[in-house]
């Protein structure tokens, strides 16, 4: 894959927003040590909620259009990502699958230092722990998992430079509606999300993806000042924007800047390594979700038909066949009386009274078939959607057919898929932290997330327990399998030892803890006799209990 970037057609044709010829000063980007607030996130909550929530996909695309989009997901990536966002807000099965898969792993981790220098290993391990705490690694990984499943791809920038600051106390409505991260750290380490629409994979370097960022992003939103927008992005992108703006009058500068791949994080799912984008999780289930929506609309129409019944009356027949015994005026009066009573029959507490001629028949016409309301039909559709998303329907809802072992097998497959994605994110984290914080190729440090979920904790606890009791197992692994951070567990033990908890609060004397010891040297077991026999004395002196016996080999 080539690393050169081709300028977009819009940029070639001069469709970029016009800028003033006067060079603008870098207002607001001056470093100020007195300022305490650091703004370094770019995205607002409006992106996922305001436009897509509550829409019907059939209102925007025809089934044949969707089929054509799904056939080429890379070329139609932007459209499919929009559809995926819309379905996440409208289809409950898809929403639950994404949310459950995001929250399923416990993300218990171990820090593994490498190298020969013990001092450097301890120092670098401490650095790794501090960085993970600063970037809130668990929240970051869950965010990457969510974006990967919903959009198929997620791009981030690992920033270690000092960020431009803003100490203003008053915000506009636009400021309030956007999510900002305000932090105060002893060192700079933050992960900045990059917009997928303006970020692309352009090549490989040392088998790591190389990203390019479209600088036109800063000129497309008239509601937000450019300087404020730049403040939320890393120094490398800010410098590239100013360099391009200053040189724009001198030469035709490209609008894409290639980013340092030791500072970028790429997470994409269900794609080849050479593809620029991933495939959203919902891609295989779009047609089933469409059919589910169509089925629901049909049920509503049937329900409307039930609630709007057809009622007709037959006047009494006269002497001649086909004629009525009532006069025209009598027919009109009776018709109006019956019509008024039928239309007002739903009034609560009301009584409709009318008189009709003998022989009149009032009949409700039944034109509906209610077989569509059978719950089996709806359950089958939900199960198909869940299966297309990778989840067994009965494991998702907790009801329906299927054995427990089948559900367990499905959840194991789901767990393996999740930890494959976590492994990708983990490798990217290790790359960025070692290259920008540790900076020691001989004493590098890795973070590894253990394959423990909220569902397999019990079996993992048993595995760790057996290793600990029967082999040279790890207490940290045993504790992590319980869903508890080993650091938190050992901190509790240290605190309890410092406060003499075990001396102050003795265990209650039960059959498990009580021992009737007669002396300080008594280690338990069979009571020692005060008048031993000669053979007992001889056995003690020869340490007879330690001699091998045939039963030792049993």
């Amino acid at each position: 894959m080539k690393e050169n970037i081709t300028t977009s057609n819009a940029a070639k044709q001069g469709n970029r927003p016009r800028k003033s010829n006067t060079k603008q000063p870098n207002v607001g980007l001056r470093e100020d040590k007195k300022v305490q607030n650091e703004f370094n996130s770019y995205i607002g909550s409006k992106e996922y909620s305001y436009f897509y929530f509550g829409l019907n996909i059939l209102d925007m695309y025809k089934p044949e259009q969707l089929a054509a989009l799904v056939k080429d997901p890379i070329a139609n990536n932007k459209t499919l990502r929009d559809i995926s966002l819309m379905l996440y807000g409208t289809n409950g099965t898809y929403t639950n699958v994404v949310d459950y898969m995001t929250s399923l792993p416990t993300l218990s981790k171990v820090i593994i230092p490498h190298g020969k220098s013990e001092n450097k290993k301890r120092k670098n391990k401490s650095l790794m722990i501090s960085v993970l705490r600063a970037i809130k690694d668990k929240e970051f990984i869950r965010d990457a998992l969510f974006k990967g499943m919903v959009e198929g791809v997620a791009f981030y920038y690992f920033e270690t430079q000092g960020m431009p600051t803003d100490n203003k106390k008053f915000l506009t409505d636009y400021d309030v509606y956007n999510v900002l991260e305000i932090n105060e750290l002893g060192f700079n380490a933050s992960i900045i999300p990059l917009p997928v629409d303006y970020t692309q994979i352009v090549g490989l370097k040392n088998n790591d993806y190389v990203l390019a960022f479209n600088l036109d992003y800063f000129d497309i939103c008239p509601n937000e000042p450019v300087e404020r927008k730049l403040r939320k992005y890393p120094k490398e992108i800010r410098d590239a924007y100013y360099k391009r703006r200053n040189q724009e009058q001198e030469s035709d500068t490209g609008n894409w800047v290639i980013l340092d791949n030791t500072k970028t994080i790429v997470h994409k799912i269900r794609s080849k390594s050479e593809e620029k984008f991933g495939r959203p999780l919902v891609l295989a289930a779009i047609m089933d979700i469409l059919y589910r929506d169509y089925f629901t609309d049909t049920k509503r129409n049937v329900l409307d038909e039930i609630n709007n019944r057809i009622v007709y009356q037959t006047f009494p027949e006269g002497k001649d066949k086909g004629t009525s015994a009532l006069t025209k005026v009598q027919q009109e009066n009776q018709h109006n009386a019956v019509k008024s009573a039928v239309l007002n029959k739903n009034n609560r507490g009301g009584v409709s009274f009318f008189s009709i001629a003998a022989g009149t028949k009032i009949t409700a016409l039944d034109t509906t078939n209610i077989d569509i309301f059978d719950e089996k039909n709806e359950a089958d559709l939900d199960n198909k959607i869940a299966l297309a998303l990778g989840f067994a329907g009965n494991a998702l809802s907790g009801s329906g057919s299927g054995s427990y072992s089948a559900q367990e097998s499905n959840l194991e497959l789901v767990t393996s898929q999740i930890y494959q994605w976590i492994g990708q994110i983990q490798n990217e984290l290790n790359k960025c932290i070692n290259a920008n914080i540790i900076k020691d190729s001989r004493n590098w440090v890795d973070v590894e997330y253990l394959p423990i979920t909220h569902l397999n904790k019990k079996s993992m606890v048993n595995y760790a327990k057996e290793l600990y009791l029967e082999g040279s197992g790890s207490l940290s692994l045993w504790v992590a399998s319980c869903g508890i951070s080993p650091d938190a567990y050992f901190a509790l033990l240290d605190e309890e030892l410092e406060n003499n908890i075990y001396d102050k609060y003795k265990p209650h004397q039960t059959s498990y803890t009580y021992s009737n010891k007669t002396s300080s040297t008594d280690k338990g077991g069979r009571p020692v006799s005060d008048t031993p026999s000669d053979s007992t004395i001889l056995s003690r002196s020869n340490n007879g209990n330690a001699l091998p016996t045939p039963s030792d080999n049993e």
Side-chain angles (χ1 to χ4, degrees), residues 307-325:
N307 292 333
N308 294 278
R309 294 186 301 169
I310 300 175
V311 179
Y312 67 93
Q313 67 170 322
T314 306
F315 295 126
E317 191 174 10
K319 293 181 179 180
D320 298 328
K321 189 173 183 61
T323 62
S324 174

Side-chain angles (χ1 to χ4, degrees), residues 431-495:
K431 174 195 73 175
C432 292
I433 296 176
N434 278 287
N436 297 279
I437 301 295
I438 306 297
K439 298 180 180 179
D440 189 348
S441 59
R442 295 185 178 181
N443 298 277
W444 75 98
V445 184
D446 288 332
V447 56
E448 183 168 341
Y449 294 88
L450 303 175
I452 302 172
T453 69
H454 293 286
L455 295 175
N456 69 357
K457 284 194 298 185
K458 185 175 181 180
S459 58
M460 290 297 295
V461 166
N462 291 333
Y463 296 149
K465 181 179 179 180
E466 290 177 2
L467 284 172
Y468 187 83
L469 297 179
E470 299 179 7
S472 299
S474 167
L475 180 58
S476 297
L477 176 62
W478 192 356
V479 173
S481 302
C482 299
I484 303 172
S485 169
D487 293 334
Y489 179 80
F490 295 135
L492 287 174
L493 289 180
D494 292 339
E495 182 181 356

Side-chain angles (χ1 to χ4, degrees), residues 216-261:
D216 285 343
Y217 170 76
F218 299 104
D219 301 315
I220 61 172
C221 183
N223 296 327
E224 185 177 13
V226 173
E227 303 300 335
R228 185 184 187 280
K229 210 170 185 180
L230 284 165
R231 190 180 296 122
K232 295 175 285 186
Y233 278 83
K235 185 177 184 299
E236 184 179 5
I237 293 179
R238 296 197 309 271
D239 291 345
Y241 177 82
Y242 286 121
K243 181 179 180 180
R244 174 197 175 216
R245 187 174 68 179
N246 295 336
Q247 295 179 353
E248 198 168 43
Q249 304 302 322
E250 303 172 4
S251 61
D252 186 14
T253 307
N255 57 314
W256 290 85
V257 56
I258 297 178
L259 304 178
D260 182 357
N261 75 319

Side-chain angles (χ1 to χ4, degrees), residues 70-86:
V70 172
K71 287 181 180 179
D72 194 352
I74 304 302
N76 302 306
N77 185 263
K78 173 66 169 68
T79 303
L80 290 174
R81 281 189 282 111
D82 292 342
I83 292 173
S84 179
L85 283 169
M86 182 169 59

Side-chain angles (χ1 to χ4, degrees), residues 105-131:
T106 62
L107 296 180
S108 300
K109 59 181 178 288
V110 292
I111 309 298
I112 308 171
H114 302 273
K116 297 181 178 180
S117 173
E118 294 300 325
N119 291 332
K120 289 184 177 180
K121 287 169 63 176
R122 284 193 296 269
K123 176 186 174 182
N124 293 342
K125 180 179 179 180
S126 177
L127 277 175
M128 172 67 79
I129 294 173
S130 299
V131 172

Side-chain angles (χ1 to χ4, degrees), residues 200-218:
Q200 280 200 28
I201 298 173
V202 296
L204 289 169
K205 183 178 180 181
N206 298 328
N207 211 33
D208 289 326
Y209 289 114
V210 177
L211 295 182
F213 185 82
N214 189 350
L215 298 174
D216 285 343
Y217 170 76
F218 299 104

